[in-house]
Amino acid sequence: MNVLKCQNVCKSYKNFSMENVSFELPMGYVMGFIGENGAGKSTMIKMMLDLVRPSSGKIEVFEKDSIKNSKEIKEEIGVILDTVGFPSMFNTKDINNMMKRAYKNWNESTYWDYIKQFQLPEKKKYKEFSMGMKKKLAIAAALSHNPKLLILDEVTAGLDPIVRDEILDIFREFVSDGQHSIFISSHIISDLEKICDYVTFLHKGKLIFSMEKESLFDTYCMIRCAEEDVEAIPKSAICGIHKSGYGAEVLVKRKDVPFGFDSEPANIEEIMLFLTKHNIGEKI
Amino acid sequence: MKWLLWRDFTLFKKRGLGGAALYIAMILIYAVITVSFYGVTNSNGESLHDMQTGALTCFGGVNLSTISLVIISFQFDEKDKVKDTLLSMPVSINNYVLEKYIFFYTLLLPLFILGFVSSALGIYSVESISFYTIGIALIPLLYIPISFILDSEKAYLIIIFLSLAIGYLFTQYIYNLIISNALIWIILFSAVTICLAFLSYKASVKYCTKK
């Protein structure tokens, strides 16, 4: 079963357009959603949540139409947006009172367990929370109504590595039973690399790829060599190249690595950079 | 939708002087002003509480202060950037928008009640109060869609300007023309208000997620 299915989704704004974006997330897996600022990641997330309507195409969540079944779907998903927005005058108790009225499956004891685990103050107002505390509170709220899918937009941004690691552990635990899934967008690619099973890459509103992380690593690799050696690599094999005073870094398709060159595994960040910033042609 | 109403009223209460306390104070001031003028006449023996004065007070004066307090709630929400978070929770866009109208009208209810009481006591004529009620009812219908299309700050300024302009034009030029056939005009204005309510709601739903 696919928990998320986007089919030919298009969205046009005055200075931005998203074209025919399609991908699927099977149940029990984590999908990382990457792309530069303005690539359309937040727009895509908002379309999944029916906060923005697509110009054309279809989005299904739990195999239900995201527009027609919006309210029903939202009962079963936990959402953390990049602009976490709880009322500034509310404290953790008020937020619990609001959430228990909003969600049918709200579990107060789960919520308070997270509040204790994250050491969040009960009486302090939300506006007095630090960035890390706000994110932790959002995570507690997103996880306390037994959601089947988490949709997370820049959830680890602005957090220190220790807190980020703590949060990633919670997400790993969340998907461990194979019945829960996560769709996570982040600029911190190293975080995504740790927890993702699938990677979807959006660039200027276009889908570059959506595939399993392992397939991605099987598809691309890096060659680091002297600048003059680059000539020996067939142009058709080069996906992206970056030359500096220290030599050249070349992203190539693994199957096309020429004889005599040592290849190294490429990480997601390198693949993303070389397919966009250092891209030389069509070989995506 | 009930949880949204709970949220709005809880926040209104929590804002203290910026919310509920000031709101109650304004209602009391309005009541005191209205009642204290009752029976007061000028040197020519004319009542200071004629219909024009009443209508002018209603449209251009104390009510705007009260309404501005209601609008503060909308501005706080915008400042807190809560809209997307709330809409990502189990509520449809239609219900989210509808709740805004219900919340606004609930807080305007004391103004309507005071109007009716004033009328019942003979402080204002039934005609004056009818026009006043329609005028007050129009404010959320204009404010809410404008706040979605622009933002709450600009919508507030537009509403203040519109209210003062309409109030002035109404009392200076229109009131005397229509008062002889007041009932017809009241029915006509009510019908227009109902149509406007429908259009206002539709526009709010359309523009709620456009920005």
Side-chain angles (χ1 to χ4, degrees):
Chain A
M1 178 196 173
N2 286 320
V3 290
L4 205 52
K5 188 176 179 182
C6 296
Q7 290 173 286
N8 301 315
V9 176
C10 301
K11 178 71 189 173
S12 296
Y13 288 116
K14 203 175 175 183
N15 300 314
F16 170 79
S17 67
M18 185 179 285
E19 293 167 26
N20 293 315
V21 175
S22 303
F23 59 85
E24 293 169 3
L25 171 62
M27 187 166 73
Y29 292 97
V30 181
M31 178 177 276
F33 195 39
I34 60 171
E36 78 282 10
N37 287 331
K41 300 190 300 296
S42 294
T43 303
M44 190 74 221
I45 287 174
K46 285 181 180 178
M47 285 193 281
M48 289 171 186
L49 299 169
D50 193 30
L51 302 182
V52 171
R53 295 269 163 96
S55 309
S56 63
K58 194 178 178 188
I59 300 174
E60 286 180 356
V61 184
F62 308 123
E63 298 183 338
K64 292 172 194 162
D65 186 284
S66 68
I67 297 172
K68 288 179 192 160
N69 304 286
S70 162
K71 195 180 166 191
E72 192 185 331
I73 287 168
K74 287 171 187 174
E75 283 281 357
E76 300 196 72
I77 56 175
V79 182
I80 304 174
L81 298 172
D82 54 347
T83 50
V84 181
F86 287 118
S88 55
M89 300 293 284
F90 273 5
N91 56 31
T92 50
K93 199 176 162 188
D94 296 320
I95 288 168
N96 175 54
N97 285 332
M98 178 175 78
M99 301 304 256
K100 76 179 179 191
R101 286 170 169 83
Y103 288 99
K104 285 177 192 161
N105 296 328
W106 183 253
N107 189 327
E108 286 193 62
S109 64
T110 306
Y111 174 77
W112 289 116
D113 285 347
Y114 278 120
I115 297 296
K116 271 184 198 161
Q117 185 187 337
F118 293 146
Q119 297 176 318
L120 295 173
E122 285 183 29
K123 288 181 181 170
K124 212 173 186 179
K125 286 176 185 164
Y126 181 73
K127 65 179 176 185
E128 292 159 359
F129 277 27
S130 67
M131 170 69 92
M133 288 158 84
K134 284 180 181 176
K135 288 277 168 77
K136 284 176 175 176
L137 179 59
I139 291 165
L143 288 168
S144 300
H145 59 280
N146 193 22
K148 289 179 186 160
L149 168 67
L150 287 182
I151 295 180
L152 312 167
D153 191 7
E154 296 298 343
V155 71
T156 53
L159 302 177
D160 66 64
I162 295 164
V163 175
R164 272 170 28 217
D165 197 56
E166 196 182 338
I167 288 170
L168 293 182
D169 279 343
I170 291 167
F171 294 156
R172 278 191 203 101
E173 170 79 26
F174 178 75
V175 290
S176 62
D177 63 357
Q179 300 299 309
H180 297 85
S181 316
I182 299 178
F183 182 82
I184 178 170
S185 144
S186 179
H187 286 302
I188 307 172
I189 311 288
S190 56
D191 284 349
L192 296 185
E193 208 159 316
K194 284 177 195 167
I195 60 164
C196 285
D197 305 296
Y198 288 82
V199 182
T200 295
F201 179 20
L202 212 57
H203 176 58
K204 292 182 181 170
K206 287 179 184 163
L207 182 74
I208 304 296
F209 59 73
S210 181
M211 60 169 86
E212 279 187 59
K213 184 174 72 179
E214 294 311 318
S215 302
L216 186 66
F217 293 152
D218 287 343
T219 306
Y220 298 103
C221 64
M222 295 294 296
I223 293 176
R224 293 176 220 279
C225 59
E227 212 173 310
E228 55 271 22
D229 293 340
V230 173
E231 299 300 318
I233 305 172
K235 281 207 170 82
S236 60
I238 300 173
C239 297
I241 185 164
H242 178 231
K243 292 176 181 175
S244 68
Y246 301 102
E249 292 176 304
V250 190
L251 181 77
V252 292
K253 287 201 172 173
R254 193 177 286 278
K255 66 180 173 59
D256 296 330
V257 175
F259 181 76
F261 280 90
D262 288 331
S263 65
E264 296 170 17
N267 59 40
I268 298 174
E269 193 162 337
E270 284 171 332
I271 295 170
M272 182 184 159
L273 270 174
F274 279 78
L275 287 182
T276 53
K277 194 179 168 193
H278 306 311
N279 180 243
I280 57 156
E282 300 296 317
K283 291 154 295 293
I284 292 172
Chain B
M1 191 171 61
K2 279 182 194 166
W3 65 271
L4 283 171
L5 280 169
W6 177 89
R7 186 199 77 100
D8 273 336
F9 281 107
T10 305
L11 279 170
F12 197 66
K13 202 171 79 183
K14 274 184 172 278
R15 280 178 196 131
L17 275 178
L22 201 53
Y23 172 73
I24 291 164
M26 292 308 301
I27 296 288
L28 288 175
I29 289 167
Y30 171 53
V32 168
I33 289 171
T34 305
V35 174
S36 63
F37 272 89
Y38 184 56
V40 178
T41 54
N42 65 14
S43 54
N44 297 327
E46 294 162 339
S47 170
L48 286 179
H49 231 293
D50 61 13
M51 283 189 265
Q52 283 196 7
T53 315
L56 191 61
T57 309
C58 293
F59 277 111
V62 182
N63 293 321
L64 275 178
S65 309
T66 309
I67 288 158
S68 69
L69 285 175
V70 182
I71 290 171
I72 284 173
S73 295
F74 288 74
Q75 291 177 334
F76 266 103
D77 268 2
E78 207 164 87
K79 195 176 141 220
D80 291 345
K81 295 177 182 168
V82 296
K83 193 176 87 180
D84 283 350
T85 302
L86 296 177
L87 281 171
S88 70
M89 290 161 68
V91 65
S92 64
I93 293 173
N94 290 5
N95 281 348
Y96 176 82
V97 169
L98 185 61
E99 188 272 343
K100 296 281 169 214
Y101 286 90
I102 293 172
F103 176 63
F104 208 142
Y105 279 115
T106 307
L107 290 174
L108 292 182
L109 202 59
L111 294 182
F112 293 130
I113 292 169
L114 276 169
F116 291 129
V117 170
S118 304
S119 174
L121 292 173
I123 300 170
Y124 295 127
S125 68
V126 174
E127 288 85 354
S128 288
I129 290 305
S130 301
F131 288 125
Y132 154 76
T133 305
I134 292 166
I136 294 292
L138 281 172
I139 289 170
L141 302 184
L142 295 172
Y143 176 79
I144 294 173
I146 296 173
S147 71
F148 283 128
I149 294 166
L150 301 170
D151 59 57
S152 56
E153 198 78 35
K154 285 179 192 139
Y156 182 40
L157 294 172
I158 289 170
I159 289 300
I160 286 177
F161 175 78
L162 274 180
S163 301
L164 290 173
I166 292 169
Y168 178 77
L169 291 171
F170 187 79
T171 52
Q172 294 301 308
Y173 302 107
I174 305 167
Y175 190 82
N176 288 330
L177 289 175
I178 64 173
I179 199 66
S180 52
N181 287 310
L183 185 64
I184 293 167
W185 284 100
I186 289 166
I187 292 167
L188 185 67
F189 282 151
S190 301
V192 169
T193 306
I194 290 165
C195 292
L196 199 64
F198 178 74
L199 292 174
S200 167
Y201 175 70
K202 286 283 174 193
S204 296
V205 169
K206 186 180 174 186
Y207 287 99
C208 175
T209 56
K210 279 261 174 177
K211 271 194 286 182

